[in-house]
Structures are given as C-alpha cells and as structure tokens.
Amino acid sequence: MITFQSDGIDMPNIKHRDTSQWIKAVAAAHGRRVGQVGYMFVSDEKILEVNNEYLSHDYYTDIITFDYDEGDVINGDIVISLDTVRSNAELFGKEYDDELHRVIIHGILHLCGINDKGPGEREIMEAHENEALAMRKK
C-alpha cells in the first residue's frame, strides 16, 4: 500500500492511483514488490527538523528515505520538501511536476537498493531516474 500525506503544506497535485501504479511498475522492474510505502510532503522547515532529529544533519534537502525493506518487498517512509523541489526545478530549468516525480521515484530507487553518495553512484541513480520517468510517460 502506498499512502500520500502532507504536513503543514498543501498536498501536491498528483494523481495518486496513477502514481502508485507507476511506483509499483518501477519497483517490479528492479525485482521488488511494494509493501508499505508512505510519502509525507513537507516544507523546508519541517524537513530540516527531520534531518536534524533522525540523521543529525543540519541542512535542507529535497528527500529523506527511511528504509524498512524485508527481502524483495520494499517498505519505507519518504519525506519530501516541496519547497526544495520547487527551488531545484527553477535552478535546473525543469518543470515543477517533472522534478516532483523525479524526487518521488528517487526514494523508491533508494528502497530498491540504488545509492547516490559514493563515487559514480550519482550517475547510476540519474540513469535509473530517467528510465523510471520514461516509464511514467507511457
């Protein structure tokens, strides 16, 4: 089950059913099934609180993924700052909706075991994001 909630900010205009089907298809393409995945859309201030409290990081970010996977079943909580998504869309010259969906699937890719912090991993993550985004447009 995939849930979408917001905390202190308006819910983004996404099609929950279509987005859930897309997420499941991306997970399946990586040999995974979706268990319990919860999205929480928040402001920059809230994601900074979460980053401080749970990761001891004192900076803003667009996404934080908490991984509770069990075997090939992905489970997790994904916190997304819509403020940072919006500013990143402007910074990178992307449409807000495209950037939002890139971040939504970024969290799922983390749950599928794809990392982006080590040498060369960012490029691998971006390639998987692009493949997933192409699946969404079909």
Side-chain angles (χ1 to χ4, degrees):
M1 177 202 252
I2 302 169
T3 60
F4 302 93
Q5 300 178 19
S6 63
D7 182 4
I9 196 164
D10 290 339
M11 178 67 79
N13 186 21
I14 58 173
K15 296 177 180 170
H16 294 190
R17 183 174 299 153
D18 291 346
T19 302
S20 295
Q21 289 174 343
W22 172 55
I23 288 167
K24 289 175 184 177
V26 170
H30 290 274
R32 305 294 183 98
R33 292 179 296 123
V34 174
Q36 299 288 327
V37 175
Y39 282 89
M40 179 64 68
F41 299 101
V42 301
S43 65
D44 270 352
E45 290 72 29
K46 183 66 176 178
I47 207 160
L48 181 60
E49 287 176 26
V50 171
N51 219 0
N52 275 314
E53 182 175 344
Y54 294 98
L55 302 175
S56 299
H57 296 160
D58 191 24
Y59 54 82
Y60 298 102
T61 187
D62 53 355
I63 185 170
I64 299 173
T65 305
F66 297 97
D67 186 342
Y68 315 125
D69 287 356
E70 297 175 9
D72 68 343
V73 179
I74 63 171
N75 297 286
D77 289 318
I78 299 171
V79 183
I80 295 175
S81 169
L82 296 180
D83 294 333
T84 298
V85 168
R86 187 169 307 284
S87 61
N88 283 347
E90 292 171 11
L91 180 66
F92 299 125
K94 303 288 184 183
E95 293 294 323
Y96 171 75
D97 186 64
D98 292 340
E99 184 65 16
L100 176 59
H101 283 86
R102 178 177 296 277
V103 175
I104 286 170
I105 212 62
H106 183 94
I108 295 300
L109 293 170
H110 273 308
L111 295 178
C112 287
I114 300 167
N115 297 312
D116 61 355
K117 299 293 185 208
E121 290 180 338
R122 181 69 214 149
E123 294 78 8
I124 293 167
M125 174 63 85
E126 286 177 7
H128 285 285
E129 289 171 350
N130 291 336
E131 289 171 11
L133 289 168
M135 291 173 66
R136 177 177 168 255
K137 296 181 193 302
K138 290 182 181 175

